[in-house]
Amino acid sequence: PYSVQLGQYSAKSGAHYRPHLDKQPWERENLREITILLYTNVGWDAKRSGGCLRLHPTPMGSAPTHDVEPIAGTWAGAYWARL
């Protein structure tokens, strides 16, 4: 790959993302092709502390969402090259 971006976010920091797309269809200079999220937090309680990844299958929100709980060893990925 040309580049790799790694991030680590502490629960204490209150870090979060607003709903977004990692790659917009008009972003020709955005070379991101793969997004992978791996949860490594052992013993996390999503009901108490949040942290779920909310997936929106359609951009306009017309389909039901799906939440991925932040359980250690859980990963989610997306392939963006065809946008």
Side-chain angles (χ1 to χ4, degrees):
Y2 293 110
S3 66
V4 174
Q5 176 184 347
L6 298 175
Q8 176 181 351
Y9 303 98
S10 166
K12 293 178 184 177
S13 73
H16 67 281
Y17 282 105
R18 297 188 192 287
H20 68 280
L21 291 175
D22 284 352
K23 184 174 185 177
Q24 302 288 343
W26 62 85
E27 293 180 307
R28 294 191 182 270
E29 299 300 317
N30 183 345
L31 300 177
R32 184 180 302 192
E33 292 186 13
I34 299 173
T35 299
I36 298 173
L37 172 67
L38 172 64
Y39 288 107
T40 59
N41 42 338
V42 177
W44 189 262
D45 183 352
K47 289 180 179 35
R48 187 186 68 195
S49 302
C52 292
L53 168 66
R54 177 158 290 162
L55 300 172
H56 299 266
T58 59
M60 298 306 291
S62 59
T65 60
H66 178 75
D67 288 347
V68 178
E69 288 196 36
I71 299 169
T74 300
W75 70 274
Y79 179 64
W80 303 103
R82 300 290 180 230
L83 285 178

